[in-house]
Every structure is written in structure tokens, then in C-alpha cells.
Coordinates of all heavy atoms in Angstrom, one line a residue:
M1 N 0.9 -1.2 0.0 CA 0.0 0.0 0.0 C 0.9 1.2 0.0 O 1.9 1.3 0.7 CB -0.9 0.0 1.2 CG -1.8 1.2 1.3 SD -3.0 1.1 2.6 CE -2.1 0.7 4.0
N2 N 0.5 2.2 -0.8 CA 1.3 3.4 -1.0 C 0.9 4.4 0.2 O -0.3 4.8 0.2 CB 1.0 4.0 -2.3 CG 1.9 5.2 -2.6 OD1 2.2 6.0 -1.8 ND2 2.4 5.2 -3.9
N3 N 1.8 4.7 1.0 CA 1.5 5.6 2.2 C 1.1 7.0 1.8 O 0.3 7.7 2.4 CB 2.6 5.6 3.2 CG 2.7 4.3 4.0 OD1 1.7 3.6 4.2 ND2 3.9 4.0 4.4
S4 N 1.7 7.5 0.7 CA 1.3 8.8 0.2 C -0.1 8.9 -0.2 O -0.8 9.9 0.0 CB 2.3 9.3 -0.9 OG 2.1 8.6 -2.0
Y5 N -0.6 7.8 -0.9 CA -2.0 7.8 -1.3 C -2.9 7.7 0.0 O -4.0 8.4 0.0 CB -2.3 6.5 -2.1 CG -1.7 6.5 -3.5 CD1 -1.5 5.3 -4.2 CD2 -1.2 7.7 -4.1 CE1 -0.9 5.3 -5.4 CE2 -0.6 7.6 -5.3 CZ -0.4 6.4 -6.0 OH 0.2 6.4 -7.2
L6 N -2.5 7.0 1.0 CA -3.2 6.9 2.2 C -3.4 8.2 2.9 O -4.4 8.6 3.3 CB -2.6 5.8 3.1 CG -3.3 5.6 4.5 CD1 -4.7 5.2 4.4 CD2 -2.5 4.7 5.3
E7 N -2.3 8.9 3.0 CA -2.3 10.2 3.7 C -3.1 11.2 2.9 O -3.9 12.0 3.5 CB -0.8 10.8 3.8 CG 0.0 10.0 4.8 CD -0.6 9.9 6.2 OE1 -1.2 10.9 6.7 OE2 -0.6 8.8 6.8
R8 N -3.1 11.2 1.6 CA -3.9 12.1 0.8 C -5.4 11.7 0.9 O -6.3 12.6 1.0 CB -3.5 12.1 -0.7 CG -2.2 12.7 -0.9 CD -1.7 12.7 -2.3 NE -2.8 13.1 -3.3 CZ -2.8 12.8 -4.6 NH1 -1.8 12.0 -5.1 NH2 -3.7 13.3 -5.4
A9 N -5.7 10.4 1.0 CA -7.1 10.0 1.1 C -7.7 10.4 2.5 O -8.8 10.7 2.6 CB -7.2 8.5 0.9
K10 N -6.8 10.4 3.5 CA -7.2 10.7 4.9 C -7.7 12.2 5.0 O -8.5 12.6 5.8 CB -6.1 10.5 5.9 CG -5.9 9.1 6.3 CD -4.8 9.1 7.3 CE -4.4 7.7 7.8 NZ -3.3 7.6 8.7
Q11 N -7.2 13.0 4.0 CA -7.7 14.4 4.0 C -9.1 14.5 3.6 O -9.8 15.4 4.0 CB -6.8 15.2 3.1 CG -5.4 15.4 3.6 CD -4.5 16.1 2.6 OE1 -4.9 16.5 1.5 NE2 -3.2 16.3 3.0
N12 N -9.6 13.6 2.7 CA -11.0 13.6 2.3 C -11.9 12.8 3.2 O -13.1 13.2 3.3 CB -11.1 13.1 0.9 CG -10.5 14.0 -0.2 OD1 -10.4 15.2 0.1 ND2 -10.1 13.5 -1.3
I13 N -11.4 11.7 3.7 CA -12.2 10.9 4.7 C -11.3 10.7 5.9 O -10.5 9.7 6.0 CB -12.6 9.5 4.1 CG1 -13.4 9.7 2.8 CG2 -13.4 8.7 5.0 CD1 -13.8 8.5 2.0
P14 N -11.4 11.5 6.9 CA -10.6 11.5 8.1 C -10.8 10.3 9.0 O -9.9 9.9 9.7 CB -10.8 12.8 8.8 CG -12.1 13.3 8.3 CD -12.3 12.7 6.9
D15 N -12.0 9.7 9.0 CA -12.3 8.6 9.9 C -11.7 7.4 9.4 O -12.0 6.9 8.3 CB -13.8 8.5 10.1 CG -14.2 7.4 11.1 OD1 -13.5 6.4 11.2 OD2 -15.2 7.7 11.8
P16 N -10.7 6.7 10.1 CA -10.0 5.6 9.5 C -10.9 4.4 9.2 O -10.7 3.6 8.3 CB -9.0 5.2 10.6 CG -9.3 6.0 11.8 CD -10.2 7.1 11.4
Q17 N -12.0 4.2 10.1 CA -12.9 3.0 9.8 C -13.7 3.2 8.5 O -13.8 2.3 7.7 CB -13.8 2.9 11.0 CG -13.1 2.4 12.2 CD -14.0 2.3 13.4 OE1 -14.9 3.1 13.6 NE2 -13.7 1.4 14.3
I18 N -14.2 4.4 8.3 CA -15.0 4.7 7.1 C -14.1 4.7 5.9 O -14.4 4.1 4.9 CB -15.7 6.1 7.3 CG1 -16.7 6.1 8.4 CG2 -16.3 6.5 5.9 CD1 -17.3 7.4 8.7
L19 N -12.9 5.2 6.0 CA -11.9 5.2 4.9 C -11.6 3.7 4.5 O -11.6 3.4 3.3 CB -10.6 5.9 5.3 CG -9.5 5.9 4.3 CD1 -10.0 6.5 3.0 CD2 -8.3 6.6 4.8
S20 N -11.4 2.9 5.5 CA -11.1 1.5 5.2 C -12.2 0.8 4.5 O -12.0 0.0 3.5 CB -10.6 0.7 6.4 OG -11.7 0.6 7.3
V21 N -13.5 1.1 4.9 CA -14.6 0.4 4.3 C -14.8 0.9 2.9 O -15.0 0.2 1.9 CB -15.9 0.7 5.1 CG1 -17.2 0.3 4.4 CG2 -15.8 0.0 6.5
V22 N -14.7 2.3 2.7 CA -14.9 2.8 1.3 C -13.8 2.3 0.4 O -14.1 1.9 -0.8 CB -14.9 4.4 1.4 CG1 -14.9 5.0 0.0 CG2 -16.1 4.9 2.2
A23 N -12.6 2.3 0.8 CA -11.5 1.8 0.0 C -11.6 0.3 -0.3 O -11.4 -0.1 -1.5 CB -10.1 2.1 0.7
A24 N -12.0 -0.4 0.7 CA -12.2 -1.9 0.4 C -13.3 -2.2 -0.5 O -13.2 -3.0 -1.4 CB -12.4 -2.6 1.8
K25 N -14.4 -1.5 -0.4 CA -15.5 -1.7 -1.3 C -15.2 -1.3 -2.7 O -15.5 -2.0 -3.7 CB -16.8 -0.9 -0.9 CG -17.4 -1.5 0.3 CD -18.8 -0.9 0.6 CE -19.4 -1.6 1.8 NZ -20.9 -1.3 1.9
R26 N -14.4 -0.2 -2.9 CA -14.0 0.2 -4.2 C -13.0 -0.8 -4.8 O -13.1 -1.1 -6.0 CB -13.4 1.6 -4.2 CG -13.0 2.1 -5.5 CD -14.1 2.1 -6.6 NE -13.6 2.6 -7.8 CZ -14.1 2.2 -9.0 NH1 -15.2 1.5 -9.1 NH2 -13.6 2.7 -10.1
A27 N -12.1 -1.3 -4.0 CA -11.1 -2.3 -4.5 C -11.8 -3.5 -4.9 O -11.5 -4.1 -5.9 CB -10.1 -2.6 -3.4
K28 N -12.9 -3.9 -4.2 CA -13.7 -5.1 -4.6 C -14.4 -4.9 -5.9 O -14.4 -5.7 -6.8 CB -14.7 -5.4 -3.5 CG -15.4 -6.7 -3.6 CD -16.3 -6.9 -2.5 CE -15.8 -8.0 -1.6 NZ -16.8 -8.4 -0.5
Q29 N -14.9 -3.6 -6.1 CA -15.5 -3.3 -7.4 C -14.5 -3.4 -8.5 O -14.8 -3.9 -9.6 CB -16.1 -1.9 -7.4 CG -17.3 -1.7 -6.5 CD -17.8 -0.3 -6.4 OE1 -17.0 0.6 -6.8 NE2 -19.0 -0.1 -6.0
L30 N -13.3 -2.9 -8.3 CA -12.2 -3.0 -9.3 C -11.9 -4.4 -9.6 O -11.6 -4.8 -10.8 CB -11.0 -2.2 -8.8 CG -11.2 -0.6 -8.8 CD1 -10.0 0.0 -8.0 CD2 -11.4 0.0 -10.1
A31 N -11.8 -5.2 -8.6 CA -11.5 -6.6 -8.8 C -12.5 -7.4 -9.6 O -12.2 -8.3 -10.3 CB -11.3 -7.3 -7.4
A32 N -13.8 -6.9 -9.5 CA -14.9 -7.5 -10.2 C -15.0 -7.0 -11.6 O -15.9 -7.4 -12.4 CB -16.2 -7.3 -9.5
G33 N -14.0 -6.1 -12.0 CA -14.0 -5.6 -13.4 C -14.4 -4.1 -13.6 O -14.5 -3.7 -14.7
G34 N -14.5 -3.4 -12.5 CA -14.8 -2.0 -12.5 C -13.6 -1.3 -13.2 O -12.4 -1.7 -13.0
R35 N -13.9 -0.2 -13.9 CA -12.8 0.6 -14.5 C -12.3 1.7 -13.6 O -13.1 2.4 -13.0 CB -13.3 1.2 -15.8 CG -13.8 0.2 -16.8 CD -14.1 0.8 -18.1 NE -12.9 1.3 -18.7 CZ -12.8 1.7 -19.9 NH1 -13.8 1.7 -20.7 NH2 -11.6 2.1 -20.4
P36 N -11.0 1.8 -13.4 CA -10.4 2.8 -12.6 C -10.8 4.2 -13.1 O -10.8 4.4 -14.3 CB -8.9 2.6 -12.7 CG -8.8 1.2 -13.2 CD -10.0 0.9 -14.0
M37 N -11.0 5.1 -12.2 CA -11.3 6.5 -12.6 C -10.0 7.4 -12.6 O -10.1 8.6 -13.0 CB -12.3 7.1 -11.6 CG -13.6 6.5 -11.6 SD -14.9 7.2 -10.6 CE -14.4 6.6 -9.0
V38 N -8.9 6.8 -12.3 CA -7.6 7.5 -12.3 C -6.5 6.7 -13.0 O -6.7 5.5 -13.1 CB -7.1 7.9 -10.9 CG1 -8.1 8.9 -10.2 CG2 -7.0 6.7 -10.0
K39 N -5.5 7.3 -13.4 CA -4.3 6.6 -13.9 C -3.4 6.5 -12.8 O -3.0 7.5 -12.2 CB -3.7 7.4 -15.1 CG -2.6 6.7 -15.8 CD -2.6 7.1 -17.2 CE -1.5 6.3 -17.9 NZ -2.0 5.2 -18.7
C40 N -3.0 5.3 -12.5 CA -2.2 5.0 -11.3 C -1.0 4.1 -11.7 O -1.1 3.2 -12.5 CB -3.0 4.2 -10.2 SG -2.2 4.0 -8.7
D41 N 0.2 4.4 -11.2 CA 1.4 3.7 -11.5 C 1.3 2.2 -10.9 O 1.9 1.3 -11.4 CB 2.6 4.4 -11.0 CG 2.8 5.7 -11.7 OD1 2.4 5.8 -12.8 OD2 3.4 6.6 -11.1
S42 N 0.6 2.1 -9.8 CA 0.5 0.8 -9.1 C -0.6 0.0 -9.7 O -1.6 0.5 -10.1 CB 0.2 1.1 -7.6 OG 0.0 -0.1 -6.9
E43 N -0.4 -1.3 -9.7 CA -1.4 -2.3 -10.1 C -2.2 -2.8 -8.9 O -3.2 -3.5 -9.0 CB -0.8 -3.4 -10.8 CG -0.2 -3.1 -12.1 CD 0.3 -4.2 -12.9 OE1 0.0 -5.4 -12.6 OE2 1.1 -4.0 -13.8
N44 N -1.8 -2.4 -7.7 CA -2.5 -2.7 -6.5 C -3.9 -2.0 -6.4 O -4.0 -0.8 -6.5 CB -1.7 -2.3 -5.2 CG -2.3 -2.8 -3.9 OD1 -3.5 -2.8 -3.8 ND2 -1.4 -3.0 -3.0
L45 N -5.0 -2.8 -6.3 CA -6.3 -2.3 -6.4 C -6.6 -1.3 -5.2 O -7.4 -0.4 -5.4 CB -7.3 -3.4 -6.5 CG -7.2 -4.3 -7.7 CD1 -8.2 -5.5 -7.6 CD2 -7.3 -3.6 -9.0
L46 N -6.1 -1.6 -4.1 CA -6.3 -0.8 -2.9 C -5.6 0.6 -3.1 O -6.2 1.6 -2.8 CB -5.7 -1.4 -1.6 CG -6.1 -0.7 -0.3 CD1 -7.6 -0.4 -0.2 CD2 -5.5 -1.5 0.8
D47 N -4.4 0.6 -3.8 CA -3.8 1.9 -4.1 C -4.6 2.7 -5.1 O -4.8 3.9 -4.9 CB -2.4 1.6 -4.7 CG -1.3 1.3 -3.7 OD1 -1.6 1.4 -2.5 OD2 -0.3 0.8 -4.1
I48 N -5.2 2.0 -6.0 CA -6.1 2.7 -7.0 C -7.3 3.3 -6.3 O -7.6 4.5 -6.5 CB -6.5 1.8 -8.1 CG1 -5.3 1.3 -8.9 CG2 -7.5 2.5 -9.0 CD1 -5.6 0.2 -9.9
A49 N -7.9 2.6 -5.4 CA -9.0 3.0 -4.6 C -8.7 4.2 -3.8 O -9.4 5.2 -3.7 CB -9.6 1.9 -3.8
L50 N -7.5 4.1 -3.1 CA -7.1 5.3 -2.2 C -6.8 6.5 -3.1 O -7.1 7.6 -2.7 CB -5.8 4.9 -1.4 CG -6.1 3.9 -0.3 CD1 -4.7 3.4 0.3 CD2 -6.9 4.5 0.8
L51 N -6.2 6.3 -4.2 CA -6.0 7.5 -5.1 C -7.3 8.1 -5.6 O -7.4 9.3 -5.7 CB -5.1 7.1 -6.3 CG -4.6 8.2 -7.2 CD1 -3.9 9.3 -6.4 CD2 -3.7 7.6 -8.3
E52 N -8.2 7.3 -5.9 CA -9.5 7.8 -6.3 C -10.2 8.6 -5.2 O -10.7 9.7 -5.4 CB -10.5 6.7 -6.7 CG -10.1 6.0 -8.0 CD -11.0 4.9 -8.4 OE1 -11.7 4.4 -7.5 OE2 -10.9 4.4 -9.5
I53 N -10.0 8.2 -4.0 CA -10.5 8.9 -2.8 C -9.8 10.2 -2.6 O -10.3 11.3 -2.4 CB -10.5 8.0 -1.5 CG1 -11.4 6.9 -1.6 CG2 -10.8 8.9 -0.3 CD1 -11.2 5.8 -0.6
A54 N -8.4 10.1 -2.7 CA -7.6 11.3 -2.6 C -7.9 12.4 -3.6 O -7.8 13.6 -3.3 CB -6.1 10.9 -2.7
E55 N -8.2 11.9 -4.8 CA -8.6 12.9 -5.9 C -10.0 13.4 -5.8 O -10.4 14.3 -6.5 CB -8.4 12.2 -7.3 CG -7.0 11.8 -7.6 CD -6.1 13.0 -7.8 OE1 -6.6 14.0 -8.3 OE2 -4.9 12.9 -7.5
G56 N -10.7 12.9 -4.8 CA -12.1 13.4 -4.6 C -13.1 12.8 -5.5 O -14.2 13.3 -5.6
L57 N -12.8 11.7 -6.1 CA -13.7 11.0 -7.0 C -14.6 10.1 -6.4 O -15.7 9.7 -6.9 CB -12.9 10.3 -8.1 CG -12.0 11.2 -9.0 CD1 -11.1 10.3 -9.9 CD2 -12.8 12.2 -9.8
L58 N -14.3 9.7 -5.1 CA -15.2 8.8 -4.3 C -15.5 9.5 -3.0 O -14.7 10.2 -2.4 CB -14.5 7.5 -4.0 CG -14.3 6.5 -5.1 CD1 -13.5 5.3 -4.6 CD2 -15.6 6.0 -5.7
S59 N -16.8 9.3 -2.6 CA -17.2 9.8 -1.3 C -18.1 8.8 -0.7 O -18.3 7.7 -1.3 CB -17.8 11.2 -1.5 OG -19.0 11.1 -2.2
Y60 N -18.7 9.1 0.4 CA -19.7 8.2 1.0 C -20.8 9.1 1.6 O -20.7 10.3 1.8 CB -19.0 7.4 2.1 CG -18.6 8.3 3.3 CD1 -19.4 8.3 4.4 CD2 -17.4 9.0 3.3 CE1 -19.0 9.1 5.5 CE2 -17.0 9.8 4.3 CZ -17.8 9.9 5.4 OH -17.5 10.6 6.5
E61 N -21.9 8.4 1.9 CA -23.0 9.1 2.7 C -23.7 8.0 3.5 O -23.8 6.8 3.1 CB -23.9 9.8 1.7 CG -24.6 8.9 0.7 CD -25.5 9.8 -0.2 OE1 -25.1 10.8 -0.7 OE2 -26.7 9.4 -0.3
F62 N -24.2 8.4 4.6 CA -25.0 7.5 5.4 C -26.5 7.6 5.0 O -26.9 8.7 4.7 CB -24.9 7.9 6.9 CG -23.5 7.6 7.4 CD1 -22.7 8.7 7.7 CD2 -23.1 6.3 7.7 CE1 -21.4 8.4 8.3 CE2 -21.8 6.1 8.2 CZ -21.0 7.2 8.5
P63 N -27.1 6.5 4.9 CA -28.5 6.5 4.4 C -29.4 7.2 5.5 O -29.1 7.1 6.7 CB -29.0 5.1 4.3 CG -28.0 4.3 5.1 CD -26.7 5.1 5.1
D64 N -30.4 8.0 5.0 CA -31.3 8.7 5.9 C -32.1 7.6 6.7 O -32.6 6.7 6.0 CB -32.2 9.6 5.1 CG -33.1 10.5 6.0 OD1 -32.7 10.7 7.2 OD2 -34.1 11.0 5.5
E65 N -32.4 7.8 8.0 CA -33.1 6.8 8.7 C -34.5 6.7 8.2 O -35.1 5.6 8.2 CB -33.2 7.2 10.2 CG -31.8 7.1 10.9 CD -31.9 7.4 12.4 OE1 -33.1 7.5 12.9 OE2 -30.9 7.7 13.0
N66 N -35.1 7.7 7.7 CA -36.5 7.7 7.2 C -36.5 6.8 5.9 O -37.5 6.1 5.6 CB -37.0 9.1 6.9 CG -37.2 9.9 8.2 OD1 -37.4 9.3 9.2 ND2 -37.1 11.2 8.0
E67 N -35.5 6.9 5.1 CA -35.4 6.2 3.8 C -35.3 4.7 4.1 O -35.9 3.9 3.4 CB -34.2 6.6 3.0 CG -34.4 8.0 2.4 CD -33.2 8.4 1.6 OE1 -32.3 7.6 1.3 OE2 -33.2 9.6 1.3
T68 N -34.5 4.3 5.1 CA -34.3 2.9 5.4 C -35.5 2.2 6.1 O -35.8 1.1 5.9 CB -33.1 2.7 6.3 OG1 -33.2 3.4 7.5 CG2 -31.8 3.1 5.6
S69 N -36.3 3.0 6.8 CA -37.5 2.4 7.5 C -38.7 2.5 6.6 O -39.7 1.8 6.9 CB -37.7 3.1 8.8 OG -38.0 4.5 8.6
A70 N -38.7 3.3 5.6 CA -39.9 3.5 4.7 C -40.4 2.2 4.1 O -41.5 1.9 4.1 CB -39.7 4.6 3.7
P71 N -39.5 1.4 3.4 CA -39.9 0.2 2.8 C -40.6 -0.8 3.8 O -41.5 -1.5 3.4 CB -38.7 -0.4 2.2 CG -37.8 0.8 2.0 CD -38.1 1.7 3.1
A72 N -40.1 -0.9 5.0 CA -40.6 -1.8 6.0 C -42.0 -1.4 6.3 O -42.9 -2.2 6.5 CB -39.7 -1.8 7.2
E73 N -42.3 -0.1 6.4 CA -43.6 0.4 6.7 C -44.6 0.1 5.6 O -45.7 -0.2 5.8 CB -43.6 1.9 7.0 CG -42.9 2.3 8.3 CD -42.7 3.8 8.5 OE1 -43.2 4.6 7.6 OE2 -42.0 4.2 9.4
E74 N -44.1 0.2 4.4 CA -45.0 0.0 3.2 C -45.3 -1.5 3.2 O -46.4 -1.9 2.9 CB -44.2 0.4 1.9 CG -44.1 1.9 1.8 CD -43.3 2.2 0.6 OE1 -42.9 1.3 -0.2 OE2 -43.0 3.4 0.4
E75 N -44.3 -2.4 3.5 CA -44.6 -3.8 3.5 C -45.6 -4.2 4.6 O -46.5 -5.0 4.3 CB -43.3 -4.6 3.7 CG -42.3 -4.6 2.6 CD -41.0 -5.2 2.9 OE1 -41.0 -5.9 4.0 OE2 -40.1 -5.1 2.1
T76 N -45.6 -3.6 5.7 CA -46.5 -3.8 6.8 C -47.9 -3.4 6.4 O -48.9 -4.1 6.6 CB -46.1 -3.1 8.1 OG1 -44.8 -3.4 8.4 CG2 -47.0 -3.4 9.2
A77 N -48.0 -2.2 5.7 CA -49.3 -1.7 5.3 C -49.9 -2.7 4.2 O -51.1 -2.9 4.2 CB -49.2 -0.3 4.7
A78 N -49.1 -3.2 3.3 CA -49.5 -4.1 2.3 C -50.0 -5.4 2.9 O -51.0 -6.0 2.4 CB -48.4 -4.3 1.3
E79 N -49.4 -5.9 3.9 CA -49.7 -7.2 4.5 C -51.1 -7.0 5.3 O -51.8 -8.0 5.3 CB -48.7 -7.6 5.5 CG -47.4 -8.1 4.8 CD -46.3 -8.4 5.8 OE1 -46.5 -8.2 7.0 OE2 -45.2 -8.7 5.3
E80 N -51.4 -5.8 5.8 CA -52.6 -5.6 6.5 C -53.8 -5.6 5.6 O -54.9 -5.9 6.0 CB -52.5 -4.3 7.3 CG -51.5 -4.4 8.5 CD -51.4 -3.1 9.2 OE1 -52.0 -2.1 8.8 OE2 -50.6 -3.0 10.2
E81 N -53.6 -5.3 4.4 CA -54.8 -5.2 3.4 C -55.2 -6.5 3.0 O -55.5 -7.4 3.0 CB -54.3 -4.4 2.2 CG -54.1 -2.9 2.5 CD -53.6 -2.2 1.3 OE1 -53.5 -2.7 0.2 OE2 -53.4 -1.0 1.5

């Protein structure tokens, strides 16, 4: 793993746990055939993911609590009918 990519990625996602999850998920996408959004000297998929985060091409968001509970409420209403 390239430490300079890691340090740059930490500037965009400072929480180490969130950074590791985002980078791992992106590396998994790349392993499954996803196309890199950056040109990287390294062939290491984690390095590519960290560079994408460092360049600001990847971000994350937490789902809204109302959005996650809404489908469950709709299913309950449908079952009652």
C-alpha cells in the first residue's frame, strides 16, 4: 500500500474506519471488473481506490433513517390489506 495515497485519502475521509470500508468496497468493485477513474502507477487495487478517494472522485454518505425504514412500513401496510 502506498502511504502517500493513504495520507492524501485521509484528508478527504478522516475517519479511519470509514476510509477502510470505502477503499475496500471500491477495491472489490475494481477486482470484479470496474474501470479505474484515475491513472495509477501501481497495479494494487487498494492503491487505485485510495488514489480515487484522494482525488475526490469517491465519497460516502450514510442513508437517511427515514429512507431505510420506509420500505418496511410499506410492506407492513400491504400485509394488513
Side-chain angles (χ1 to χ4, degrees):
M1 177 172 51
N2 189 320
N3 286 333
S4 66
Y5 295 159
L6 177 61
E7 292 305 317
R8 288 178 52 200
K10 282 182 182 179
Q11 293 175 358
N12 288 338
I13 303 178
D15 186 319
Q17 291 176 328
I18 294 173
L19 177 59
S20 66
V21 169
V22 172
K25 285 188 176 197
R26 179 59 182 152
K28 192 179 251 188
Q29 289 174 346
L30 292 168
R35 296 188 70 169
M37 295 185 281
V38 295
K39 186 147 179 102
C40 185
D41 296 334
S42 175
E43 293 182 17
N44 185 327
L45 300 178
L46 188 54
D47 283 348
I48 296 169
L50 288 172
L51 185 56
E52 290 176 346
I53 294 167
E55 295 291 327
L57 299 172
L58 286 179
S59 63
Y60 69 96
E61 62 182 48
F62 292 108
D64 186 21
E65 288 182 19
N66 295 332
E67 291 177 11
T68 57
S69 63
E73 291 172 5
E74 290 173 5
E75 289 175 11
T76 306
E79 290 174 1
E80 292 175 0
E81 294 177 358

